[in-house]
Amino acid sequence: MIVSLIEEAEATNWYEQRLSVEKDKTAKAIMENAQSEEFKHFGMDLEFLLRKKPKWKKVLQGICFRKVI
Ligand SMILES: [Fe+2]
């Protein structure tokens, strides 16, 4: 699952790179939609790992989704 998490991050980055150079609005919209699917996949993989790895969960709870001061 860790490798899957890495692959989802890579896919997100590939879309990020392609989006940065794409000029066609329709193509861009399609790729943005596809990239948002990769965000979901990344999130599902991470959630799975956090449920299986209490140490990871504890560390990330101190980092993610905190109010920025
Ligand atoms: Fe994916």
Side-chain angles (χ1 to χ4, degrees):
M1 191 55 79
I2 295 169
V3 172
S4 180
L5 182 74
I6 292 166
E7 290 169 347
E8 299 301 347
E10 288 175 340
T12 299
N13 185 46
W14 295 329
Y15 283 114
E16 197 69 23
Q17 291 175 23
R18 293 169 190 165
L19 283 163
S20 73
V21 295
E22 182 57 59
K23 304 284 186 225
D24 186 279
K25 283 174 76 175
T26 303
K28 209 166 186 164
I30 292 168
M31 288 192 286
E32 284 171 345
N33 181 282
Q35 187 187 42
S36 71
E37 290 299 315
E38 304 306 345
F39 293 151
K40 289 181 205 169
H41 301 161
F42 182 88
M44 289 186 288
D45 288 358
L46 183 58
E47 178 65 23
F48 176 88
L49 287 165
L50 294 178
R51 289 180 188 189
K52 298 288 185 183
K53 302 276 192 183
K55 280 185 185 175
W56 292 25
K57 187 173 186 173
K58 186 175 181 184
V59 171
L60 288 184
Q61 281 175 328
I63 298 170
C64 296
F65 305 109
R66 296 180 63 203
K67 281 193 172 185
V68 178
I69 301 172

